[in-house]
Amino acid sequence: MGDEKEKAIQQEVNKLLAADFIREIKYPTWLANLVMVKKANGKWRMCVDYTYLNKACPKYSYPLPSIDKLVDEASGNELLSLMDAYSGYHQIKMHPPDEDKTTFMTTRVNYCYQTMPFGLKNAGATYQRLMDRVFEGQVGRNMEFYVDDMIVKSVLGSSHHEDLTEAFGRLRKHNMRLNPEKFSFGIQGGKFLGFMITSRGIEINADKCKAIQYQKIEKAALVVLVTARRLRPYFQSFQVKIRIDLPLRQVFQKPDLSGRLVAWSVELSEYGLQYEKRGKVGAQTLADFVVELTPEDGEKVSTQCTLFVDGSSNDNGSGAGVTLHGSGELVLEQSLRFQFKASNNQAEYEALIAGLKLAIEMQIDSLLVRTDSLLVANQVNGELQVKEPTLIKYLERVRLLMGRLQEVAVEFMPRAQNQRADA
């Protein structure tokens, strides 16, 4: 560690000692290294690499909430308040016999945590269980949270004071602390779990779009992390192998990018990921690939696509088919089987919603949607009135998703021409 990092480590250790979060230990059973990562505000974040400890720990499969559902529930409210727990994980005590397993080394002394540290495989699930217990009965009604990120929501602004009072009452009761540098009270829109939440719905987060556009490597790590988090409730344990072939010399010449890669690596370690070197690639093949995908100066890459959707329902169940056709021969296909009863019209709407989500995830600018449901096409285009309450909710969801695309049109087409999505 350089002098700057050593100074940051000592400051963080002193702060943790003063808060009684850590203690000195002489004979640890496990020992982990420190990793220093530069934060966006220029300060250093001290991370402990618990890779090997996480491999030895059993998986606690407490279910985490769906991020998509949380974002949907938080949007469309008149007033919001965003809050973040202060050193959230440290507000949970470690099981005393297990404290020595969290030991990390510094240049002078070894310390272990007396409170739950960041980076442990089961830390997120344990903290989510705590939040579910603390805010039982309030979550979903006037509050949403994902681990230590909290949002108090009010459909009517006049009731926001009472909603905040209820939330703070529970925080005081359980002696929980908030971060004074990360809160916004009584606002009409803000960032929640990486999304821009407003009273009008969900809007594009320009900062996230820019980061994804310029940091392709970081995007890959983000995709793996989000996928791992979403799969975690359904598997006792699983491992993912990633084949990588990155220009590491270029990466590590950029301190901010290399720091984020280290942070991703530490956070992903709890999922037991294994990295393998990619096999040999012919020099000419690689050169042709780079030439083919590198646009000329001033050339704008077209993102206009056509989306084919089809949904159906019968006595055996219901499902949907989605095909997204891009420029050239690029085709993305997705098939869904619904674990709930749905009418044929509801299945058609579900197919349309799944297709729009796929287009939004792929950052499509212009989209032409083709469906073989004349009812859905006419209702979305305003040519038919919707009277059924369930279909009204579906239509509202579709229009909300369409609002996140720059250009989108919905057309009817005969089923005979929609064979691929139908299949």
Side-chain angles (χ1 to χ4, degrees), residues 195-237:
F195 294 85
M196 284 299 299
I197 307 298
T198 69
S199 57
R200 299 180 298 274
I202 306 171
E203 297 183 357
I204 295 176
N205 186 341
D207 295 338
K208 293 293 181 182
C209 292
K210 183 177 180 181
I212 291 176
Q213 180 179 1
Y214 292 105
Q215 307 293 356
K216 300 296 178 63
I217 301 172
E218 188 176 14
K219 177 184 178 182
L222 174 61
V223 170
V224 174
L225 178 60
V226 172
T227 302
R229 281 178 171 172
R230 290 183 177 180
L231 290 176
R232 175 160 58 180
Y234 306 106
F235 297 92
Q236 290 294 331
S237 63

Side-chain angles (χ1 to χ4, degrees), residues 14 17 24 63 120 158 172 211 332 347:
N14 291 339
L17 285 171
E24 183 179 348
L120 290 183
S158 57
R172 291 192 183 97
L332 298 179

Side-chain angles (χ1 to χ4, degrees), residues 9-27:
I9 290 174
Q10 193 58 47
Q11 291 176 349
E12 182 67 17
V13 166
N14 291 339
K15 185 171 67 173
L16 293 173
L17 285 171
D20 205 26
F21 289 164
I22 62 175
R23 63 178 175 85
E24 183 179 348
I25 184 171
K26 295 182 179 179
Y27 305 104

Side-chain angles (χ1 to χ4, degrees), residues 42 74 90 104 178 260 279 332 387:
H90 296 331
F104 62 92
L178 299 180
R260 283 197 292 272
L332 298 179
K387 294 184 178 180

